[in-house]
Amino acid sequence: MSTTSTTLAPELAVSEWFNTPAPLTLAALRGRPVFIHSFQLLCPGCVSESIPQVQRIECIFGHTDLQVIGIHTVFEHHAAMSPVTLKAFLHEYRIKHPVGVDLSDERSDTPTTMQRFALRGTPSSILIGRDGSIAHQMFGVEEDLAVGARIAMALSARIPGLAGTAPSSGEDEGCSGGRCEVPSQLDAGRLARMS
Amino acid sequence: MSTTSTTLAPELAVSEWFNTPAPLTLAALRGRPVFIHSFQLLCPGCVSESIPQVQRIECIFGHTDLQVIGIHTVFEHHAAMSPVTLKAFLHEYRIKHPVGVDLSDERSDTPTTMQRFALRGTPSSILIGRDGSIAHQMFGVEEDLAVGARIAMALSARIPGLAGTAPSSGEDEGCSGGRCEVPSQLDAGRLARMS
Amino acid sequence: MSTTSTTLAPELAVSEWFNTPAPLTLAALRGRPVFIHSFQLLCPGCVSESIPQVQRIECIFGHTDLQVIGIHTVFEHHAAMSPVTLKAFLHEYRIKHPVGVDLSDERSDTPTTMQRFALRGTPSSILIGRDGSIAHQMFGVEEDLAVGARIAMALSARIPGLAGTAPSSGEDEGCSGGRCEVPSQLDAGRLARMS
Amino acid sequence: MSTTSTTLAPELAVSEWFNTPAPLTLAALRGRPVFIHSFQLLCPGCVSESIPQVQRIECIFGHTDLQVIGIHTVFEHHAAMSPVTLKAFLHEYRIKHPVGVDLSDERSDTPTTMQRFALRGTPSSILIGRDGSIAHQMFGVEEDLAVGARIAMALSARIPGLAGTAPSSGEDEGCSGGRCEVPSQLDAGRLARMS
């Protein structure tokens, strides 16, 4: 029994999922770090800055057990950013990770997940630790060096009382386009051993 | 009577206009050079490359009589790129120049203006000369240096039989954000004098 | 006999040339437009901004009779930027156009050509017209669109009393690296015909 | 007494230091992670890619006990890249961290430190762990996300038998230019606590 009390992150509230055969929940992902990207498809900063960063994260940390999730948190121009438009957007921008449509709230323009995490706007990012708590949350886009450092720390953190984390064995080498390379020493196995 | 026979560019076919109090036609614009930008709001190359270039063109040539026109030439994901979504897109990306929705053709996925100009995809650009003919047309994005050279040539070209072109006097100085400067020697008046 | 009196640009003062079998003078280049790039090899803005722009200019206007010239105008850290270092710099940065070392003046830190043109710093650029006058001069780096427009105007300008300019026929297609394309309608021949 | 045998990184061989009151050695830095940047001032990839990355590293990890060191590893154009030119280069590029001139070897064009680490060219980087061993070494420039992850791991690694690392308390907030922000959870104290 742990002496540390940790506040769990609130659960995602999603009305429709893309790029996943089954809905995702933070509860079911407990034990793995989760990087949540909150965006809107008509948000210029998302398209030019945060979506490319998320794709770099997938590339660099694709062989670890980090789970990347996008949440389409529409709080303006609701009719313009329907799931039909989102689906085409994900296709055109080659976004392959799971993306959920934030559950609308009839009493507010701000959807439910966005309210639960008190997000200030898009893009925002939330890093959930292996223990289910919020390791970091921010509005805007942080430098890659800092994001890489945070994710490495989240990957290396052991959960007290857990024997170890079995990362999925990644069999494919490198990232598409040859633009980046999976660092051999950054797999979750080694990260676990270092901690 | 001119001995040169020039083929006029086909006319635009537009079902709805944004950012203009009245519909535009190439016929009514005869005598001015026109830069037409063909795009789709979910086209990554348009968002990252050609739209920023069009905004630089507006900035650099804003004091000349060049007319910039966007045409939303949707040939895929039609339901995802409705005029409702386009309107929000123009707002979010701060696009201020006139944009027309290319007239759909019930017999084809390709809309009417796109067919008339035989455009191969998005982004495309068409430069119309003062005489109403196509000075240049291309699929993709050309280097700014070449685009600037083409527009300068189109601006400087006199129309045979016409006494001269009276450019609108631009009284505001510079472009927003201080990122570029209106070149003092690039106004249409001087261009006309040089030709 | 022209009624317009034009002030000729001052002549270059160069102590040593690279990338040319014989010294260049503006007098001998009369009839061709000349783009002069003033730089220092330890100037960060030159390395990151103006040198890449000059290389794009060479690429886009390589089939015209525009002459590109670099002048190494050292006005600080003289011992650090000797011709020995310049030679290695030109090699490493793959600069192929003629570059002259601005003639030092024992009474001043500012070298001679820099004084003659009253340049304020590096990078600077000077565009010389076919008639030998200064068409444009500036400190800093201008937008490619504006530079392209200026060069097109300089290329298209006829010299009063001259029958025509015979451009060298460029037989090779495109630029190295496939990064840009020689615009078919931007050759000097067509530019001359348009004017 | 540790059961793990670690091979120590070879020592630096430097003929002249800039930006430090006293010479640095890896031996004296034992207990702190060290990021070594091998560069040449006339290397285009160093100027455009690795030097900006090193400056971002200084910005993001400036409040930790990471030591950043540049080594000017000249293996070509020796006369062009003398310490006189290096000194002006460091001034112009605002490089503030300690930079050593790699000790020349009269029997080889390749200087001594470069030989000891078997570096293949410039830019190269070497990350030294708290225990003095090479955590990572590479030729070229790696993605910021991966570099950030590596540095975080190096910072968080405890040395067996050592009670703890006392980081210098950084009192200044943020980085120059306001372009990046010191992440509050990335200080060495917390990193030590997490491991």
Side-chain angles (χ1 to χ4, degrees), chain B residues 122-169:
Chain B
T122 55
S124 286
S125 64
I126 307 159
L127 182 61
I128 307 284
R130 293 191 186 280
D131 61 1
S133 69
I134 297 175
H136 189 253
Q137 174 176 324
M138 76 172 294
F139 173 46
V141 180
E142 200 174 29
E143 293 260 354
D144 275 18
L145 282 169
V147 173
R150 288 188 200 292
I151 292 175
M153 289 189 290
L155 284 167
S156 68
R158 288 171 306 168
I159 309 173
L162 231 65
T165 302
S168 61
S169 65

Side-chain angles (χ1 to χ4, degrees), chain C residues 9 14 34 53 63 65 68 72 89 95 97 113 119-120 127 149 158 163 176 180 182-183 185 194:
Chain C
V14 166
V34 182
Q53 183 181 66
H63 284 231
D65 68 338
V68 173
H72 196 225
F89 177 85
I95 294 171
H97 57 259
T113 307
L119 299 180
R120 293 167 49 201
L127 182 61
R158 288 171 305 167
S176 61
C180 54
V182 176
Q185 296 168 38
M194 289 189 67

Side-chain angles (χ1 to χ4, degrees), chain C residues 117-128:
Chain C
F117 283 88
L119 299 180
R120 293 167 49 201
T122 57
S124 286
S125 64
I126 307 159
L127 182 61
I128 309 283

Side-chain angles (χ1 to χ4, degrees), chain C residues 11-176:
Chain C
E11 189 52 84
L12 305 174
V14 166
S15 54
E16 185 173 356
W17 284 97
F18 294 97
N19 298 336
T20 173
L24 300 180
T25 63
L26 295 183
L29 288 165
R30 197 84 73 248
R32 293 171 61 183
V34 182
F35 186 91
I36 301 172
H37 173 232
S38 154
F39 73 105
Q40 293 182 106
L41 69 89
L42 290 183
C43 154
C46 301
V47 170
S48 66
E49 299 290 334
S50 64
I51 289 174
Q53 183 181 66
V54 170
Q55 291 176 321
R56 290 193 299 272
I57 289 171
E58 283 191 278
C59 177
I60 296 292
F61 295 100
H63 284 231
T64 70
D65 68 338
L66 177 74
Q67 174 71 56
V68 173
I69 297 176
I71 301 292
H72 196 225
T73 50
V74 179
F75 62 92
E76 58 186 350
H77 308 300
H78 293 79
M81 294 188 273
S82 69
V84 167
T85 299
L86 177 61
K87 185 179 180 183
F89 177 85
L90 298 177
H91 175 80
E92 290 300 317
Y93 281 85
R94 283 137 181 72
I95 294 171
K96 306 294 190 192
H97 57 259
V99 173
V101 176
D102 196 356
L103 183 68
S104 62
D105 174 354
E106 60 184 19
R107 297 157 304 177
S108 169
D109 278 345
T110 306
T112 310
T113 307
M114 204 171 174
Q115 288 179 35
R116 289 183 181 171
F117 283 88
L119 299 180
R120 293 167 49 201
T122 57
S124 286
S125 64
I126 307 159
L127 182 61
I128 309 283
R130 293 191 186 281
D131 61 0
S133 69
I134 297 175
H136 188 252
Q137 174 177 325
M138 77 172 296
F139 173 47
V141 180
E142 200 175 29
E143 292 261 355
D144 275 18
L145 282 169
V147 173
R150 287 189 201 292
I151 292 175
M153 289 190 290
L155 284 166
S156 69
R158 288 171 305 167
I159 309 173
L162 230 64
T165 303
S168 60
S169 65
E171 63 270 12
D172 53 295
E173 292 296 322
C175 300
S176 61

Side-chain angles (χ1 to χ4, degrees), chain A residues 56-57 60-62 64 66 143-156 181-188 190-191 194, chain D residues 33 35 53 57 60-61 66 127 135-136 142-157 186 191:
Chain A
R56 291 192 300 272
I57 290 171
I60 296 293
F61 296 100
T64 71
L66 177 74
E143 292 260 354
D144 274 18
L145 282 169
V147 173
R150 288 187 200 291
I151 292 175
M153 289 190 289
L155 285 166
S156 69
E181 192 183 331
V182 177
S184 58
Q185 296 168 39
L186 284 178
D187 59 282
R190 183 178 157 86
L191 284 159
M194 290 189 68
Chain D
F35 186 91
Q53 184 181 64
I57 290 171
I60 296 292
F61 296 100
L66 178 74
L127 181 62
H136 189 253
E142 200 174 29
E143 293 260 354
D144 274 18
L145 283 170
V147 173
R150 288 187 200 293
I151 292 175
M153 289 190 289
L155 284 167
S156 69
L186 283 179
L191 284 160

Side-chain angles (χ1 to χ4, degrees), chain A residues 52-112:
Chain A
Q53 183 182 65
V54 170
Q55 291 175 321
R56 291 192 300 272
I57 290 171
E58 284 191 279
C59 178
I60 296 293
F61 296 100
H63 284 230
T64 71
D65 68 337
L66 177 74
Q67 174 70 57
V68 173
I69 296 176
I71 301 292
H72 196 225
T73 50
V74 180
F75 62 92
E76 58 187 350
H77 308 300
H78 292 80
M81 294 188 273
S82 69
V84 168
T85 299
L86 177 61
K87 185 179 181 182
F89 177 85
L90 298 178
H91 175 79
E92 289 301 317
Y93 281 85
R94 283 133 181 74
I95 294 172
K96 307 293 190 193
H97 58 259
V99 172
V101 176
D102 196 355
L103 183 68
S104 62
D105 175 354
E106 60 183 20
R107 295 158 305 178
S108 169
D109 278 344
T110 307
T112 310

